[in-house]
Amino acid sequence: MIHLQEVSKQIYDLAASNDPLAPLVNEALDVINEGLDACGEDQVSISFNGGKDCTVLLHLFAGVLGKRRAASEHTSPIPAIYIAVPSPFPVLEEFIQDAAKDYNLDLFYCRPPQEDSIETVVTPAPNAITKGQDYMHPLPGPRGVGKAKGGEGMRQALEMYKAQFPHINGILIGTRRTDPHGDRISSRCPTDEGWPRFDRINPIINWSYADVWSFLRQLKVPYCKLYDEGYTSLGSTYNTFPNPALLMTPAMNPDAPPIPSASSIISPTTALTTVMSNTHATPQPEALSPTDVLSTYISSTHITSHDVANGNNYSAAFTSPPRYQPAYMLKEDHLERAGRGLSIPTVAT
């Protein structure tokens, strides 16, 4: 189990440094403290789904609580809610349970009845992402993001949580500007009309993908190991794949005819998009293996067409399954969700 005071010193030392992350860390700490002051320290929970953003947020929250509790004997668990997506990755849920123990979370595990509508996989176009207003001073004040389709499962989950913990009136959420509809929110947004009443507190709203990984790696914060396997945005096994932008050149069979470069034969984006759009747009009885997706596409589509065009047989060229660089190697922030499959274009509030 981590010690809150140690995490607090680590984070506040970073905030007081000349590190490029310091301004963002200070902003996040201010937002968390303001949310705790407004809602009550014992009345704020954290939404934790094991993703990289929530992991950053949890570490920041632990640091704030460590400083607030330094002069007291307050050691109660940290309130938290985990809303499961359809068919979650087992390794992700293992990480969530480990984090719950390490951070002493009072974790409410919620799997709503209509779980098919919890998750969104739609990514805004890069040119549609705006910085928005100064989120520390929203005008005319905190606001919701408006009505959104497909959020029934999320609404049910929050209703269940409210019924179980009626004293909780604020929830920390790891939303960032580049997330779907992230450009529409401020640091504190009330839930929409018809939803259980919570203040949604968004401390890392202005962080970039690179900022998230800089924080996690610099402070050596444990994260889900799927990110080391090329995943950059985690959701359901139905629609989450390794990011094709991180695909490495497959190992080559030395006895096969020479191939100029892997990139000249296969477009990972085309491979994943084609396979998912044809076979994986909706949940299937059995989740596809990302390795099988690319391997099948390479052998049946790109290699075959290359063979036909050049009169060569490259079917035995690849001797190992596709390999991916870790998530923190992705340099283009707008490709963060390139590994997410096609699905119904809805966003849950």
Side-chain angles (χ1 to χ4, degrees), residues 309-328:
N310 295 276
N312 294 318
N313 179 14
Y314 296 117
S315 59
F318 298 97
T319 60
S320 65
R323 295 174 56 240
Y324 297 83
Q325 295 176 303
Y328 55 78

Side-chain angles (χ1 to χ4, degrees), residues 45-176:
S45 177
I46 180 171
S47 176
F48 185 69
N49 64 7
K52 60 188 182 302
D53 301 330
C54 292
T55 302
V56 167
L57 183 58
L58 178 58
H59 206 66
L60 289 166
F61 190 26
V64 170
L65 292 178
K67 186 171 184 178
R68 283 174 167 254
R69 297 178 179 181
S72 69
E73 298 181 356
H74 190 7
T75 59
S76 61
I78 300 173
I81 177 174
Y82 164 48
I83 303 176
V85 299
S87 186
F89 285 89
V91 67
L92 178 63
E93 296 209 313
E94 289 175 9
F95 171 73
I96 291 171
Q97 293 304 318
D98 289 342
K101 295 177 183 177
D102 290 342
Y103 287 87
N104 192 24
L105 301 183
D106 179 14
L107 184 65
F108 180 74
Y109 186 107
C110 184
R111 189 183 298 277
Q114 294 191 17
E115 60 178 25
D116 60 314
S117 57
I118 292 175
E119 182 188 27
T120 175
V121 296
V122 177
T123 305
N127 60 7
I129 299 172
T130 63
K131 293 296 183 181
Q133 296 179 343
D134 179 358
Y135 79 101
M136 292 299 291
H137 302 283
L139 296 176
R143 55 195 174 89
V145 298
K147 295 294 182 183
K149 298 178 181 178
E152 182 59 22
M154 181 69 75
R155 186 182 65 79
Q156 290 177 352
L158 293 179
E159 286 178 345
M160 294 166 65
Y161 191 53
K162 193 69 170 180
Q164 186 77 16
F165 302 95
H167 66 286
I168 297 294
N169 53 44
I171 300 181
L172 294 166
I173 301 173
T175 300
R176 295 185 288 114

Side-chain angles (χ1 to χ4, degrees), residues 14-293:
L14 175 59
S17 72
N18 293 323
D19 190 280
L21 280 176
L24 289 170
V25 172
N26 275 302
E27 276 189 344
L29 296 176
D30 287 344
V31 172
I32 294 173
N33 276 304
E34 289 175 7
L36 292 175
D37 290 340
C39 300
E41 184 173 319
D42 295 326
Q43 298 175 8
V44 173
S45 177
I46 180 171
S47 176
F48 185 69
N49 64 7
K52 60 188 182 302
D53 301 330
C54 292
T55 302
V56 167
L57 183 58
L58 178 58
H59 206 66
L60 289 166
F61 190 26
V64 170
L65 292 178
K67 186 171 184 178
R68 283 174 167 254
R69 297 178 179 181
S72 69
E73 298 181 356
H74 190 7
T75 59
S76 61
I78 300 173
I81 177 174
Y82 164 48
I83 303 176
V85 299
S87 186
F89 285 89
V91 67
L92 178 63
E93 296 209 313
E94 289 175 9
F95 171 73
I96 291 171
Q97 293 304 318
D98 289 342
K101 295 177 183 177
D102 290 342
Y103 287 87
N104 192 24
L105 301 183
D106 179 14
L107 184 65
F108 180 74
Y109 186 107
C110 184
R111 189 183 298 277
Q114 294 191 17
E115 60 178 25
D116 60 314
S117 57
I118 292 175
E119 182 188 27
T120 175
V121 296
V122 177
T123 305
N127 60 7
I129 299 172
T130 63
K131 293 296 183 181
Q133 296 179 343
D134 179 358
Y135 79 101
M136 292 299 291
H137 302 283
L139 296 176
R143 55 195 174 89
V145 298
K147 295 294 182 183
K149 298 178 181 178
E152 182 59 22
M154 181 69 75
R155 186 182 65 79
Q156 290 177 352
L158 293 179
E159 286 178 345
M160 294 166 65
Y161 191 53
K162 193 69 170 180
Q164 186 77 16
F165 302 95
H167 66 286
I168 297 294
N169 53 44
I171 300 181
L172 294 166
I173 301 173
T175 300
R176 295 185 288 114
R177 292 279 181 218
T178 50
D179 291 330
H181 287 216
D183 60 328
R184 302 184 184 184
I185 62 177
S186 57
S187 62
R188 283 175 52 206
C189 305
T191 48
D192 299 327
E193 183 178 353
W195 285 60
R197 303 311 299 166
F198 292 103
D199 266 2
R200 294 176 292 181
I201 306 167
N202 308 291
I204 63 171
I205 188 69
N206 283 333
W207 290 45
S208 69
Y209 178 86
D211 295 329
V212 166
W213 281 111
S214 179
F215 181 90
L216 291 173
R217 300 189 72 218
Q218 185 169 325
L219 299 188
K220 296 180 172 57
V221 180
Y223 55 81
C224 179
K225 64 183 180 181
L226 286 174
Y227 290 115
D228 288 333
E229 300 173 8
Y231 292 84
T232 55
S233 177
L234 301 181
S236 168
T237 60
Y238 292 138
N239 54 30
T240 304
F241 296 85
N243 194 317
L246 294 174
L247 181 66
M248 299 170 64
T249 302
M252 305 303 295
N253 183 340
D255 297 327
I259 298 177
S261 69
S263 61
S264 66
I265 297 173
I266 177 171
S267 165
T269 302
T270 300
L272 286 175
T273 301
T274 301
V275 173
M276 287 187 291
S277 63
N278 289 337
T279 66
H280 216 55
T282 56
Q284 304 295 316
E286 297 181 0
L288 293 179
S289 161
T291 297
D292 291 343
V293 170

